[in-house]
Amino acid sequence: MHDWPQLGFGIALKTGHYRHFLQEKPRADWLEAHSENYLASGGYDVHVLERLRADYPISLHGIGLGLGSARGYSLDHLHQLAQLEARIQPALMSDHLCWGALADRNLNDLLPISYTKPMLDLICERVAQAQDILKRRILLENVSAYVRYPDACSEAMFLAEVVRRTGCGVLLDVNNLYVNQRNHGEDPHAAIAALPLGSVGEIHLAGHFVRDDVVIDDHGSAVIDPVWDLYRAALARFGPVSSMIEWDTNVPELEVLLAQADLARSHAAEVLRVSGAGASSAPELAPADIAAQQQRFGLALFQHDQGTLADDFRMPPENENFSAEDLRRRRFAVYRGNLHGHWKLALGLMYPVLKKLLGDTFFTGLTREYGAAALSQSPDLNQFGLRFPHFVQECELLRDYPYMPDLARLESALHQGYYAADGAPLDPAVLAQVQPEQLDHMHFQLQPACCLLRSDWPVFKIWQAHQQEPVEDFSTDPEPCHVLIVRPQWFCRILSLTPASYAALQALQDGQSLGQALDLALEIDEDYPFVTELQQWLQYGVLRMPA
């Protein structure tokens, strides 16, 4: 079996804790980063991760591969992960035993697979391919499930066979074992016993949310005692394993996460020796039409009628409040809630001012309409909202607010600028060496993070007004607006432009020479202050030499 690195006790890296790690170097043994948050070819997030990898071992944990997707599996996404792997060189790399895409859309969730022979073949093929492209062995995480297919094979037995056939490892989430025990009556200790010795390269610990109809793996609270007991049982079987505290919602202060990691360290210290029987082998798995099964599941997320799924899932045991059929429907609805929640979170982060203007209720409804119409095409939710300005433009309910499409374009440009590739800005010293007669004929490009935007509406003033609490007064009367999105280093800002300056930059962006751009600006404003404008462009790193 693979000799996985022993990293100690780590925590998940969160944006709210960047400053602490950069300035204070807190005591975590290692950090886990969600891969999809760092796929951009430049920007602040990747810069922080590259800085921190010098001080902490890094584990890259993905949520977007969807290895079990019969249709819609993205090789482009896998190659993006390979680029990130080469850049960060993590100690560990992982994703989930799940599916997440249909042929025409990405569902951006960790959806449960059926444990059948065709799925086993598919997963093993995909894992082998991923390991070839990534040039390393990966870990697969067991997932929480709110519905189960009526398979004879358990998840752990399925994972054991994937490990045997591909040489990959397991990221054992003991909280997920507990959640599945509560939801489906599954034996977590049998799952631990079914995994081969040496296969577990990382363990996740997290909290969960208990409802009267389902237990949800929300990563929003401290680890509870029964989960700690499962952690101890896992360590007793697998020995020292890199262990990590997950806390993704209601994220507390950093000290709380570090204290949970210290508690994991204490539990591990009390486990004296490895024990347990040999690994179980997976039984023969029954065939199934995976693509059709996933198609029914995926389309049901967009509909309220789940009648087509009645025979797909194993019925959960009844409880005192709900019949088995009610539980099945309510638990499947968790996945629909996840889908809508991911849409709302992604669009809310990308369009915060638009969300304020529309109000939470209307914005929520709009995100659902957009999600159903736009069909997510990427495992990276940062890409989900790129077509939202066009959707706002065509939305009949927003016809009385003609400034909103351009406001959406402004916020989209800020979002894309944040994640844009880094570029080397034009060096003023290089420009100073150019002879005046040559300058007119030179060509320049705008930096990847820069974006020009023109509107007939005062969208910049509207955006500015909503950066304050309480919101400042603003007008939505027609008023021409010209702006440039810049990113001097890691964070974007908006510069207001005159029509002449906008025309000059647009000409440069279109491939015209500096002299031609200046002529256009002077046609609009005969007193155009070119030298002052050029100094500002250089100050904010707007220009670069052509590639």
Side-chain angles (χ1 to χ4, degrees), residues 357-370:
L357 284 165
L358 295 174
D360 188 70
T361 300
F362 189 90
F363 187 79
T364 298
L366 203 63
T367 62
R368 294 185 181 185
E369 292 291 329
Y370 172 73

Side-chain angles (χ1 to χ4, degrees), residues 466-485:
H466 287 81
Q467 305 310 301
Q468 310 294 324
E469 292 293 349
V471 174
E472 293 182 348
D473 291 336
F474 62 95
S475 170
T476 59
D477 294 333
E479 179 185 334
C481 170
H482 302 78
V483 299
L484 172 68
I485 309 297

Side-chain angles (χ1 to χ4, degrees), residues 247-266:
W247 205 315
D248 296 325
T249 60
N250 306 315
V251 178
E253 296 295 324
L254 179 60
E255 285 301 318
V256 176
L257 299 184
L258 295 173
Q260 288 276 285
D262 285 341
L263 189 52
R265 192 190 313 273
S266 298

Side-chain angles (χ1 to χ4, degrees), residues 45 65 77 101 118 180 233 252 271 274 302-303 326 349 444 459 540:
D45 293 312
L65 264 183
H77 187 69
N180 290 337
V271 177
V274 175
F302 292 80
Q303 305 163 353
D326 285 339
L349 290 173
F444 301 99
V459 291
Y540 289 107

